[in-house]
């Protein structure tokens, strides 16, 4: 996951290493691999914590927080 600042950034397609687990990642400019980004809820590009304010979709709950309108409208 990437924050709003990093989602449009283009990094060099060079091998880098995750600062969380040391795994090889495909962009030298990225700080975290996809797994560490999800686990730490942090941006892959810059490593800052993802909050609703800087999350690309404005929400860090993923698909689990959108079932509150169930049963409406029938």
């Amino acid at each position: 996951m990437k924050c709003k600042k990093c989602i449009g950034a283009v990094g060099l397609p060079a091998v880098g290493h995750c600062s969380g687990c040391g795994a090889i990642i495909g962009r030298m400019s990225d700080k975290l691999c996809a797994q560490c980004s999800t686990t730490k809820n942090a941006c892959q590009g810059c490593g800052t914590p993802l909050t609703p304010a800087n999350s690309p979709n404005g929400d860090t709950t993923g698909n689990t927080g959108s079932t509150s309108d169930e049963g409406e409208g029938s």
Side-chain angles (χ1 to χ4, degrees):
M1 298 182 292
K2 291 193 177 186
C3 69
K4 288 180 181 178
K5 183 180 97 175
C6 294
I7 201 157
V10 178
L12 295 172
V15 176
H17 294 280
C18 174
S19 63
C21 67
I24 295 173
I25 50 180
R27 299 249 180 245
M28 186 184 275
S29 59
D30 284 357
K31 302 281 184 208
L32 299 170
C33 66
Q35 185 174 358
C36 285
S37 172
T38 301
T39 302
K40 296 174 186 241
N41 195 32
C43 174
Q44 280 180 271
C46 62
T48 60
L50 290 175
T51 62
N54 73 2
S55 176
N57 61 359
D59 184 20
T60 58
T61 59
N63 294 332
T64 61
S66 61
T67 59
S68 62
D69 63 339
E70 213 173 286
E72 264 185 46
S74 292

